[in-house]
Each structure stands twice: as structure tokens, then as C-alpha cells.
Amino acid sequence: MNERLSKTKLKDIRALTTAKGRAEAGRFLVEGERIVRDVVAKGISAHVAIFDEEALHSKPTLQKLAASFNDRALLAEPKDFLAIADTENSQGVVAIFDLPKPGCQMAAKTQRASFLVLDNVRDPGNMGTVFRHASAFSCAGIFLVRGCCDPFNPKAVRASMGGVFDVAYEMDVEAEALAARFKKDGVALFACENVKDARNAFDATLPSHCAFIIGGETEGIHPAWKTLGAQSVAIPQSARMESLNAAVAASIVLALRYRA
């Protein structure tokens, strides 16, 4: 018989739904049967998994997952589970993992490497999708600057499909310091923006070490990046739309680099 979720533990877990609570505890929530199973399959251990007892009784696959957690599986009444779930139609499981340690390493000169710099990307769905595709296309690291949302926000984590565990990252990075770091390590800096003097991203011959700046949904890339040495590259598109979604733009440039 699995232990039931106590009111004290419920309070502690609910704190992880906030950025402050996650930072203080060094842990975050992963919601959904598939993503929890996939993360555990990577060999990453969860502290505990909370199961909606009603969903557990009706889903054999969820029962199998709960059994794999042994005494680290907690049963929650539906109303208590809803207090920690981020989705209206939850799959019945939320697990708690340690926050991955931040830190991006510059690649060796002999290796090809692509980095992303996210500038004011505030939408959690976009943030998570960037991490998902960064994992798919072997991105060497993601740097978050100027007003980005927390990549360990529950919505971002779900959208990443486990990508937040795969890709190195750094948060709250200062643009000036990052540009100096790239220059020192021989990483060329490119701003992905549809401006007049931009090079065509599909035709440009790029160096082995590149970092691509992706702007947020509203403000785009801050003009200061130009003074920090960033060159503009544009993804060709029709005039029907002013710009591409941030996650889509990041995925395209990473796919181009991966293909090459």
C-alpha cells in the first residue's frame, strides 16, 4: 500500500510551482506519464512521484509506473492532486527531480558547436520547445538573458519533453559578459532577425563555432547586441508575416547547422 500525500508534503510540493520555491528547494516538478517515464529511462532518479488515486485505479500503465517507484510513490486525492498539477486534464502523475546544475562549456576548437542565446523569451511554451529541439539537434548550450522565463516552469518542462535534462544552460546571463566570453573562445555571434543587411541563413557559410541570438515574442532582439559584435542572419520568409515564432526560428537555425 502506497503512502498517502500529507498536508505538510502537499504544501512543500505546491511551493515548487513557483520560481522562488524551485530556486530555494533546488527541485522542480515534471508532470505527465510519458515525460516522467522517459526521464527515468535516462537514468535520472526522482525524489518522489505523486499519483492521482482515481487515475491510478483506471490506468494499467500508470499502475506499472507507480510500481517502479516503490516507496517513493505517493497517493493523492483528486482535489490535492489538482493543487499541484499544472494541467486541467492531467495524466495523473507529477514527479519531483533535482534542478540540473547550470553551466555551459565551450567546445574544443576541433569540434563543431552551436549555441543559443535567448533574449527576453517569456513564453514558457516557446522556452520548452526551444529546449526540446535543442536536444534533438545537439545544441551545445543555451544562455538565457534579459527577462527570459524560467525553463523549469511546469509548462516549459512539459513542452521540452525532457529536453531540459539534456541541454546545458545558464540563466540570468549579462549580455556584455557573454559577448566577451564568446569572443575570447572564438565563438561567432549571430542575431537571427529579418533586417535589411542580414545574411541569408540558408546560404551563409558559418564558422564551426556559432551562437545564435533568438529574440522574444514581443520586443525581439535588443539593439545592443549589434554593438557587442553580433552579425545579422535572416531566415527567408514571405512578407505575409513580420517574423517567425521564437521556437521555430531557433529550430530552423539549429537544424541547418545539424544538417551541415
Side-chain angles (χ1 to χ4, degrees), residues 13-188:
I13 294 170
R14 287 192 66 184
L16 300 180
T17 62
T18 68
K20 180 182 178 181
R22 291 189 289 273
E24 290 178 348
R27 297 177 179 180
F28 72 114
L29 302 176
V30 176
E31 180 181 347
E33 183 179 350
R34 177 182 172 184
I35 186 172
V36 170
R37 182 179 289 109
D38 288 350
V39 171
V40 171
K42 295 177 182 182
I44 302 170
S45 179
H47 287 277
V48 69
I50 303 93
F51 292 86
D52 180 332
E53 60 181 354
E54 283 192 359
L56 189 64
H57 290 155
S58 61
K59 295 181 65 176
T61 56
L62 206 58
Q63 294 167 12
K64 184 177 180 180
L65 181 61
S68 71
F69 279 93
N70 298 315
D71 59 353
R72 291 177 294 124
L74 300 178
L75 290 180
E77 296 180 7
K79 64 180 180 63
D80 289 338
F81 188 84
L82 287 175
I84 58 175
D86 188 60
T87 58
E88 292 184 8
N89 299 306
S90 176
Q91 296 177 18
V93 58
V94 174
I96 301 175
F97 292 88
D98 285 332
L99 287 170
K101 292 182 179 180
C104 296
Q105 300 296 321
M106 296 297 114
K109 301 298 183 183
T110 55
Q111 297 177 338
R112 186 182 186 85
S114 300
F115 299 91
L116 289 178
V117 179
L118 304 185
D119 182 4
N120 203 30
V121 175
R122 299 180 181 181
D123 181 78
N126 277 341
M127 179 65 72
T129 302
V130 168
F131 270 83
R132 178 179 183 175
H133 294 169
S135 174
F137 296 122
S138 300
C139 178
I142 300 176
F143 297 87
L144 282 64
V145 300
R146 202 174 66 90
C148 286
C149 68
D150 183 357
F152 300 101
N153 170 292
K155 183 177 180 180
V157 173
R158 288 197 309 279
S160 81
M161 291 303 295
V164 291
F165 289 96
D166 299 333
V167 185
Y169 74 98
E170 292 184 17
M171 296 172 61
D172 301 321
V173 179
E174 291 292 334
E176 293 82 0
L178 181 59
R181 182 175 167 188
F182 282 146
K183 184 176 181 180
K184 177 183 176 183
D185 291 305
V187 179

